[in-house]
Each structure stands twice: as C-alpha cells, then as structure tokens.
Amino acid sequence: MRTDAAKAVAAARDLARKPFTWTFTTPLYVGASLNPVNSSIIATALVPIATELHVPVGSTAVLVSSLYLASAIAQPTAGKLAEVLGARRIFLAGIVLVLLGGVVGGLGQNLAMLTVARVLVGIGTSAAFPCAMVLIRRRAQDAGLDAPPGGVLGGIAIAGMATAAVGPPIGGLLVGAAGWRWAFLINIPVTAMAMVMAVRWLPKDPVLDRADRRFRTVADRIDLPGILGFAVTMSALVVFLMNLPRLDRPALAVFVLAAVPTVRWELRRTTPFFDFRGLAANGALTRTYLRQGLTLLGTYSVMYGMTQWMEAAHGYSTVTAGLLLLPMGAVSALLSRPLASRNLVRGPLIVSAVTMLIGSAGIMLLTSDSPAIALVLVSLIFGVTSATTTVGNQTALYLAAPPDQIGTASGLFRTFGYLGTITSAVIGGIVFRDGASDHGLHILGLVLVGAGVVVLLLTVLDRRLMGRDTTDSPAHTENPTKENLA
C-alpha cells in the first residue's frame, strides 16, 4: 500500500496535469446559472402573479428589483465570506438559501412572502460567482498555472449568458403548463442537484480553528460594520436610481448619511471590506468595473428598451419580440468559450466598445417601419458586445484583482454590473415616459452612443491593456499575466 506521502505526491501530480476536471467545474457552472435564470424567468410570471394575488401588475416589479438589490449587496459580501470562511462552505450556504427561497415562493400567499423569497434567492445565488472565482484561483495556484484558465472562465460566462437567454422561454413553458409558482419551485430540483455535486466534487475548505469560528472574530475579519454600511448605502442608491426622474430626497439623504461615515470607517481600517485606497491604487481593476457597468447598461437597455418599443411601436407580441432578441443571447454564448480559451483581454474589449457604438448608432436609425431583419441585425451586434465584454472584463478581473481578494473583487464586479442593469431600466423609463415611440428609441440610442464612447476611451487609453493579447495554446508560450497588463 502506498504511504500517505506517496498519495500526496500522486495527487499533486494529478492536479498539475489536469487541474480543472469536469467534476470540479460542473458544480460551479450550475451555481453560476442560478442567478441569471432567476433574474429572467420571473418576467413571464408577473402578470399571472398579479392576477391571482389581486394586486396591480406594476406592484409586482418589486419581485424584479428586490432580487437585483439583494444581489448587488450580497455578491461582494459572499466573496468576502468565501475568503475568510472558505469558498465551499459559502457556496453550499448559498445553495441552501436558494432552496429555501424556492420553497417560500412556491408556497407564498401574498406579495410580501414572494418578495422575501426573491430576496433569499438573490442572496443565495450571489454566492456562486465569487466563490467560483476563489476556487478557480486557488486551484490554478495549487497547479502552478501562471495564465488564467480561460476555458473555465469561459464556461462560467456561458453558464450566465446562456441561462439568461433561455430563462424567459423556460419560464413561459413552466408558467403556461404548471402555473406561476413554478417560477420559484424550479429552484428546488436544481439546487438539490447542485448540492449533491458540490458536496461530492468540490474540494473541502481548510478546517477552521475554534477561535476563528467565533462570531466576534469572524465579524472583525470580514469587517461587519463596513458590510452593513455598504448595504445601507447601496440600498439607498438603488432606490434613488429606480425612482428617477422623480427626485427621491429621502433616499438621497439616506445615501449621503450612510456613505460618508462608511467611507471614513473603511479608510481607517487596515483590512476593510471596501478597500478604497486599494481600488484607487489599482486603476486596472477600477476601469474593469466601470467598463462592465457601462457595457451592461447598453446590452440591457437593448433587452428592455427595444422589447418595449417593438411591442408598442411595431405591434409585435411579447413572444415575437423575445424571439427577435434571442440571437443576442445565442451569439453571446457561442462566442464566449472560444474567446475565453485564448485568454484575450484587450482585443475583445476593443471589439466590445466598437460594436456597442455600431449597435447604438443602428438603434438611432430604426423606425416603426424598419423590417424585422434590421432588428435582428442590431440584436446580433449587441450579442457580440455582450460576449466580448464578459470575456475581456472577466479575464481582466482575474489578472488585476489581488489573489487574496479575488472573492470580494469578483462580487464588486457583479455589483457594478447590476448598477448598469438597474440604470438601463431607469433610462428606459425616462426616454419612454410618454410611450415607447421612435423618438424615445433614438434618444436611447444617443445615450448608448455616449456610453460606448466612454467604454472605448476606458479601453484604448488604458496603458495596462497595451500588452499584446496572446493565446494559451502550445504554439504561444507567452500568456497575459499581470506583467503583460502592466
């Protein structure tokens, strides 16, 4: 029989030879799909929910906004907890919360219970991406890899984009066949499957000492006051944004009153939750956040704004409008894996900015008389934008984030994305406040052109991205490590 030392050596050799097996990546991909599918699947259930619960359809919008708000706050929090307590533990805890949210929503008898369910789902699904990034980064370090594992990062991107694209069709089938409660109950079998895979296949976290498990110790290490201040600040900011163009003075006041002491507290901490000094010093990471937020503002403005316009100005049904935008999700999923596997950063980001500009200009040329092929073409262009920005920025995040802070950094990456998504809904509400007209669509296109110009400048003027993009194929030994970005 082999000794423990020999087994350890053999395990290390296996890890170095093939670190990212399907058993390791599959739970991560399933977990990464939970948030986007829950974000999109609810869209088909809002009207049936309002009908059965006897509430106005507009009031069900809280089921959408509550998940976005919970996710925006919970993503970096889950990342911080993963760094301190262990990524596998937080990943499993998130799955349990999603399961609980599915049960509460499936049994919910009023809008309040459904809102609680959506918050639970939002918090639970937020653990998947930052925990996955922590696990991937640590596995790559253990295997001695210098370059990002592009294929795995591409798989995470596909899991998010593909499920977001198929969410509405799946939701339509579920709600039509079994009722709106299955928009919540679908989480039960999916989380059960994810739980079994994660328990069996994800590597166990290091054992925590008794002292490290004490609440006071954990609260100090994760900077609990900083997390609470961040939560209040973000909540007030999101409420303020969602009420625009009406000026919500109470929300603005809460934002200022929470932000000022939170910033002061974080600046005094040696290990803050939100590292303002570190973020200011790490310009590459800050620019990555801004590019992601602005580009998602564009892609979600197309998803939400063009859908409203196609239904109101073109007279298309909801199903037809969804089908016309389906190429955007399909192109995103098809392009993500091959791009990510080559570890490209600057090239995809330039393509993302350019296609965003072209697509936004195309929106300004559309009218209610435009043929369906023109709408599909715009959708395809923004599909390229979605794929290239996700791949480029996700790889840039992997390279720019400090290894010991990859969880928090990944969570903030998603938070900026949610802010872009929420802002897109705000802009759509402003430009279409008098109806989804051609004029409103053209104003939306003009706004997106401006956002595209900023994204392009954030890319081409970024000296940290001036290094030559390379592949991780055997024919190319140079990989885009931190030194390449510097």
Side-chain angles (χ1 to χ4, degrees), residues 254-271:
V254 172
F255 170 75
V256 174
L257 292 174
V260 172
T262 298
V263 171
R264 293 183 62 185
W265 169 267
E266 296 294 79
L267 290 175
R268 291 200 302 266
R269 292 273 303 180
T270 54
T271 55

Side-chain angles (χ1 to χ4, degrees), residues 136-374:
I136 291 168
R137 187 64 173 265
R138 289 177 180 172
R139 177 60 65 99
Q141 288 179 326
D142 292 342
L145 300 180
D146 294 326
V152 181
L153 296 179
I156 294 289
I158 291 173
M161 288 186 290
T163 50
V166 302
I170 291 176
L173 291 174
L174 282 174
V175 173
W180 63 263
R181 294 185 183 277
W182 274 93
F184 294 89
L185 293 174
I186 187 61
N187 285 296
I188 297 176
V190 175
T191 53
M193 179 177 61
M195 177 70 74
V196 171
M197 291 189 295
V199 169
R200 294 193 60 182
W201 295 336
L202 290 184
K204 292 184 178 180
D205 297 317
V207 177
L208 295 174
D209 294 333
R210 178 175 297 179
D212 293 334
R213 296 198 300 265
R214 292 174 181 168
F215 176 79
R216 184 172 296 179
T217 302
V218 173
D220 181 67
R221 291 185 65 189
I222 67 174
D223 184 18
L224 183 59
I227 291 175
L228 294 176
F230 174 79
V232 175
T233 302
M234 280 297 303
S235 299
L237 176 60
V238 170
V239 171
F240 175 78
L241 290 174
M242 293 182 67
N243 282 316
L244 291 173
R246 182 179 65 85
L247 186 63
D248 191 332
R249 289 185 175 84
L252 181 60
V254 172
F255 170 75
V256 174
L257 292 174
V260 172
T262 298
V263 171
R264 293 183 62 185
W265 169 267
E266 296 294 79
L267 290 175
R268 291 200 302 266
R269 292 273 303 180
T270 54
T271 55
F273 167 70
F274 198 109
D275 190 356
F276 287 99
R277 288 194 175 90
L279 201 57
N282 193 342
L285 188 58
T286 303
R287 290 186 290 272
T288 298
Y289 291 156
L290 293 175
R291 282 192 303 266
Q292 182 71 0
L294 287 170
T295 312
L296 287 189
L297 184 154
T299 55
Y300 277 90
S301 291
V302 172
M303 289 179 63
Y304 296 147
M306 279 193 62
T307 300
Q308 295 179 51
W309 173 77
M310 284 189 288
E311 294 175 11
H314 247 291
Y316 290 126
S317 66
T318 303
V319 175
T320 302
L323 290 175
L324 289 174
L325 290 180
L326 191 59
M328 182 165 69
V331 169
S332 297
L334 289 173
L335 289 179
S336 295
R337 189 61 178 264
L339 286 175
S341 63
R342 293 173 61 84
N343 283 335
L344 302 176
V345 180
R346 190 170 187 262
L349 291 178
I350 292 176
V351 172
S352 171
V354 171
T355 54
M356 183 176 175
L357 284 170
I358 294 173
S360 301
I363 289 176
M364 297 176 64
L365 298 176
L366 294 176
T367 70
S368 55
D369 297 322
S370 298
I373 188 63

